[in-house]
Each structure stands twice: as C-alpha cells, then as structure tokens.
C-alpha cells in the first residue's frame, strides 16, 4: 500500500515539515510537495504548514487545490494543519471573511497571542503523548468554539491549542520547528 505524505508547498515553512517526516524514517521519495490538484491525487495524507492563511487560502481556492483536498479528505485522507494550517482547516474564522477548507468543525481566532514580537515557546501537555511537548507559537491562532465531534488534545493558559476530529488534526503551534518528532509520528500513524 502506498503511503505518500504530501506537504502543502504554496508558501510557508513546508521544508521543516519535510525534514521532520524524513527524521521519522519516512522515505524521502514518498514525500511530495503539493501545489496543484494533480499533486493531491497522488498523496495519502497531507500536512498544511504555517504561513499566511489569507494568501494561501486564496491560492488554494483559485487553483482548484482546495476542492481536491476536500474531496480526498471526505474519503478518509488524514490531514494535519499547524498554525496557518489549522486556520485553513477551520469551519470559521472569528471576525473575518476569508476562504477556508471547512474540514474541522471549529472556530479559530487568528493572532490570539498578539503580533510577531509576542511569539513564544512553552511546554504544553498533549493528551496523545506521555510527556508534554514544546510548543512554538508564532502569531498563533486558538480554537474558540468546537462541536461535540471535536476532541481537545491540548490547552495552553486555558486556551485550546490542539484538536482532532476523526483523522483531521490541528495544532496552533509548530512541532516542525523543534527536533521533537513525536507529533509527526503520531500523525503518520493516523
Ligand atoms: N497568523 C498567521 C495567519 O493568520 C499564521 C501564522 C503562522 O502560521 N505562523 O495566517
């Protein structure tokens, strides 16, 4: 059975995710940088990195890549969004009209901890891991509403910073910017 990991490579820190997936022992030739609908047809799971959600959302919609991702996810493809990626997976974004994939039944608040200079690192508990994980928060979003289908995996200062709904995972922070590959392993096994 093929297990091609796609990393959305329109903009943002996608190289870091590729490095983490390789560090998990996944063969480099089974990782695909995804831009087009055709790329989506070749993958078995997808990671959406950090970046600028407004720009990337617009391009996903314009090139039809969004439709392809939505189609594959509805037939069970696992997908993980970090930071911008979680925003793009959300059903809605607080106080804004912007394109999202609408695959996770959550509402997010963008830049919930302030501007770029308010970026920080903090240890956060993660219910699927035995030990806490170092969360790197860069203009990070938080989840402000979620349906009963959604499992909360992590909270920081009482704010929801990681969720899962079926095989769809969203984290406010960036595990790809640390050397800790436990979350990548978790995702690869979903
Ligand atoms: N604040 C960015 C956005 O709203 C996300 C930042 C990130 O991915 N590091 O798109």
């Amino acid at each position: 059975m093929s297990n091609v990991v796609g990393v959305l490579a329109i903009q943002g820190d996608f190289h870091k995710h590729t490095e983490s997936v390789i560090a998990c022992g996944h063969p480099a030739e089974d990782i695909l940088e995804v831009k087009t609908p055709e790329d989506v047809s070749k993958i078995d799971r997808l990671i959406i990195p950090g970046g600028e959600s407004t720009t990337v959302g617009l391009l996903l919609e314009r090139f039809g890549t969004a439709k392809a991702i939505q189609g594959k996810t509805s037939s069970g493809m696992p997908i993980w969004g970090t930071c911008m990626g979680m925003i793009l997976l959300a059903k809605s974004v607080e106080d804004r009209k912007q394109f999202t994939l609408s695959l996770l039944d959550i509402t997010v608040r963008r830049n919930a901890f302030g501007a770029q200079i308010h970026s920080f690192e903090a240890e956060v508990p993660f219910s699927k891991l035995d030990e806490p994980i170092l969360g790197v928060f860069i203009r990070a979003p938080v989840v402000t509403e979620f349906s009963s289908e959604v499992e909360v995996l992590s909270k920081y200062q009482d704010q929801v910073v990681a969720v899962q709904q079926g095989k769809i995972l969203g984290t406010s922070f960036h595990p790809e910017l640390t050397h800790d590959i436990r979350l990548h392993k978790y995702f690869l096994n979903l």
Side-chain angles (χ1 to χ4, degrees):
M1 209 182 80
S2 76
N3 189 9
V4 177
V5 179
V7 182
L8 190 74
I10 291 179
Q11 184 257 338
D13 75 332
F14 51 90
H15 282 302
K16 290 285 172 193
H17 273 295
T18 303
E19 281 169 25
S20 299
V21 172
I22 290 172
C24 289
H26 194 82
E29 62 271 22
D30 287 341
I31 303 173
L32 187 70
E33 291 192 348
V34 170
K35 293 193 177 81
T36 65
E38 203 205 330
D39 296 334
V40 176
S41 72
K42 297 177 187 155
I43 59 172
D44 300 294
R45 52 185 77 229
L46 177 68
I47 300 176
I48 304 183
E52 254 332 298
S53 60
T54 322
T55 315
V56 175
L58 209 78
L59 295 172
L60 281 177
E61 191 183 17
R62 189 170 299 167
F63 299 126
T65 311
K67 275 227 155 56
I69 294 172
Q70 286 160 331
K72 264 205 124 150
T73 310
S74 64
S75 53
M77 177 176 75
I79 179 163
W80 174 22
T82 58
C83 200
M84 168 194 85
M86 184 171 81
I87 298 169
L88 287 174
L89 290 174
K91 273 236 161 86
S92 54
V93 180
E94 263 188 17
D95 303 325
R96 265 174 203 269
K97 260 206 151 56
Q98 71 177 84
F99 177 82
T100 63
L101 294 163
S102 239
L103 293 168
L104 254 179
D105 209 355
I106 60 172
T107 299
V108 294
R109 179 182 303 149
R110 286 176 66 183
N111 302 321
F113 298 103
Q116 188 93 22
I117 49 159
H118 300 125
S119 299
F120 60 96
E121 296 181 359
E123 291 244 307
V124 292
F126 196 88
S127 65
K128 307 286 181 183
L129 301 175
D130 294 338
E131 302 287 332
I133 184 160
L134 183 67
V136 179
F137 293 86
I138 304 169
R139 292 186 302 135
V142 294
V143 177
T144 52
E145 282 172 58
F146 52 91
S147 78
S148 56
E149 311 283 294
V150 173
E151 186 184 357
V152 172
L153 304 184
S154 179
K155 280 185 176 185
Y156 174 70
Q157 290 184 344
D158 244 17
Q159 310 259 35
V160 175
V161 293
V163 289
Q164 185 173 339
Q165 180 177 1
K167 291 181 179 174
I168 307 177
L169 182 65
T171 57
S172 301
F173 49 88
H174 293 268
E176 75 283 8
L177 296 181
T178 69
H179 291 295
D180 190 338
I181 54 172
R182 287 177 297 157
L183 263 194
H184 286 82
K185 284 197 163 148
Y186 174 70
F187 175 68
L188 294 179
N189 284 315
L190 270 187

